[in-house]
Amino acid sequence: MASLNKVMLIGNLGKDPEIRMAGSAKVANFSIAVTEKFKNREGMQQERTEWVNIVVWNRLAEIAEQYLKKGSPIYIEGKMQTRSWDDQSGQK
């Protein structure tokens, strides 16, 4: 069976993109706030915000650096990749 790894997000930038070089490639890191609005069981309007970390490379990093600013509305489409790391004490 085939599989699919595709994500589409609409949200707002939490802060200006952080730009760095990884070898000869430019990398931009930023986070976006994605807010879901819904009614709870009592019919009251609720909001839930998820913060999503985004990494873009090369030309997309250059575009992010040029155009994206804190609070900007943004549409992101790509693949999801999760990462984890252990600190010096062995904690994830």
Side-chain angles (χ1 to χ4, degrees), residues 7-10 12-13 17-18 20 27-34 51-57 60 64 68 74-81 83:
V7 176
M8 294 181 282
L9 300 168
I10 298 174
N12 293 85
L13 239 59
E18 296 176 8
R20 63 184 170 84
V27 182
N29 293 5
F30 52 92
S31 59
I32 65 171
V34 179
W51 286 92
V52 182
N53 294 319
I54 307 293
V55 179
V56 294
W57 293 78
L60 287 177
L68 298 182
I74 185 170
Y75 168 80
I76 296 284
E77 186 172 330
K79 68 178 185 174
M80 181 179 289
Q81 181 178 357
R83 298 181 289 181

Side-chain angles (χ1 to χ4, degrees), residues 29-66:
N29 293 5
F30 52 92
S31 59
I32 65 171
V34 179
T35 302
E36 172 187 16
K37 296 181 181 183
F38 59 95
K39 290 187 179 180
N40 64 15
R41 291 181 182 160
E42 293 79 35
M44 301 294 294
Q45 188 74 23
Q46 299 287 306
E47 281 189 5
R48 181 181 305 132
T49 301
E50 294 286 334
W51 286 92
V52 182
N53 294 319
I54 307 293
V55 179
V56 294
W57 293 78
N58 298 317
R59 181 66 181 132
L60 287 177
E62 293 172 8
I63 292 168
E65 180 179 32
Q66 185 176 0

